[in-house]
């Protein structure tokens, strides 16, 4: 199973992840940093989540296999 993780302390709040996949990511209100909505990545969504991980300007998102 693939899981997405975020280093919230390093997030700059650009929102690219949310723009690409709002099923998996949102930005918190205060502070405006990434929140993972769904940690387990469905196989059908893997490509779009990989795009969000790659688009993060701060590099705080990562995928891990269990």
């Amino acid at each position: 199973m693939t899981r997405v993780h975020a280093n919230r302390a390093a997030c700059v709040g650009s929102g690219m992840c949310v723009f690409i996949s709002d099923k998996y990511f949102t930005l918190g209100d205060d502070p405006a940093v990434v929140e993972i909505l769904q940690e387990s990545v469905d196989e059908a969504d893997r490509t779009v989540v990989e795009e969000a991980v790659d688009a993060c300007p701060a590099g705080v998102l990562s995928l891990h296999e269990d």
Side-chain angles (χ1 to χ4, degrees):
M1 174 180 294
T2 303
R3 296 186 182 278
V4 64
H5 297 278
N7 176 356
R8 296 183 74 234
C11 180
V12 297
S14 75
M16 288 301 298
C17 56
V18 178
F19 177 74
I20 294 169
S21 181
D22 61 358
K23 176 179 177 179
Y24 287 86
F25 309 100
T26 191
L27 289 181
D29 292 328
D30 187 31
V33 297
V34 67
E35 293 181 12
I36 304 293
L37 298 174
Q38 181 176 326
E39 188 176 293
S40 298
V41 178
D42 298 330
E43 192 58 36
D45 297 331
R46 185 178 176 103
T47 300
V48 74
V49 174
E50 286 175 345
E51 289 176 20
V53 168
D54 292 342
C56 178
V60 304
L61 301 174
S62 59
L63 292 173
H64 301 276
E65 298 294 330
D66 286 348

